[in-house]
Amino acid sequence: MDADGDADVLGAVYSDDEITWWENVDGFGEIWVEHLIAGDLDRPNSLYTADIDGDGDADVLGAGFGGEILCWKNVDGSGETWSKHLIDGYFEQLNRSIQGIWTATVMKMYLELRLIMMRYHGGRILTD
């Protein structure tokens, strides 16, 4: 989360609506410092880290049982300053008997179009 090369920990407190990360201060997992990212995601139950804005640092995607999907961008790469962005304020469930969001994730989607030239020659199909 702080781009220092060691593994940090991301977590959520469901009952307090908090998203927090713990800094691995010594790099060996012996000393940890807690940092609050946000305290306003309604019953967070899904978190994911990815470089959402393409600037090279870890951002956070979160979903809450109340139906929100939010993104927090790691403004300076240190994990100290975050900017909140609403993705969806009330995610519509397909099954109305199920309330809230159970998970959120990040994926890259690519669309690749290729034009392959094919010709028939001497009983074989050749491609260029």
Side-chain angles (χ1 to χ4, degrees):
M1 301 302 293
D2 56 1
D4 64 358
D6 59 23
D8 299 311
V9 174
L10 177 67
V13 180
Y14 182 86
S15 61
D16 289 336
D17 300 339
E18 291 183 351
I19 296 175
T20 304
W21 73 277
W22 288 266
E23 179 181 359
N24 184 354
V25 176
D26 64 356
F28 300 105
E30 299 293 327
I31 302 171
W32 298 90
V33 174
E34 182 179 1
H35 301 273
L36 180 68
I37 295 173
D40 59 352
L41 178 59
D42 185 19
R43 297 168 287 168
N45 58 4
S46 179
L47 296 176
Y48 194 89
T49 61
D51 183 8
I52 294 171
D53 55 5
D55 64 357
D57 57 29
D59 303 309
V60 175
L61 173 72
F65 194 72
E68 294 177 310
I69 302 174
L70 297 168
C71 167
W72 291 268
K73 293 182 182 177
N74 191 346
V75 175
D76 60 2
S78 71
E80 296 293 329
T81 306
W82 300 88
S83 65
K84 180 173 91 172
H85 301 273
L86 178 67
I87 295 172
D88 196 324
Y90 183 76
F91 187 74
E92 296 290 332
Q93 292 81 28
L94 294 176
N95 180 347
R96 300 288 184 199
S97 65
I98 299 173
Q99 296 179 359
I101 298 174
W102 290 98
T103 190
T105 191
V106 175
M107 72 176 97
K108 292 184 179 180
M109 298 178 68
Y110 297 100
L111 176 62
E112 182 177 330
L113 299 175
R114 286 190 183 178
L115 177 61
I116 300 175
M117 300 300 296
M118 295 172 47
R119 65 182 186 269
Y120 185 80
H121 183 318
R124 299 184 312 165
I125 296 177
L126 305 174
T127 60
D128 292 331

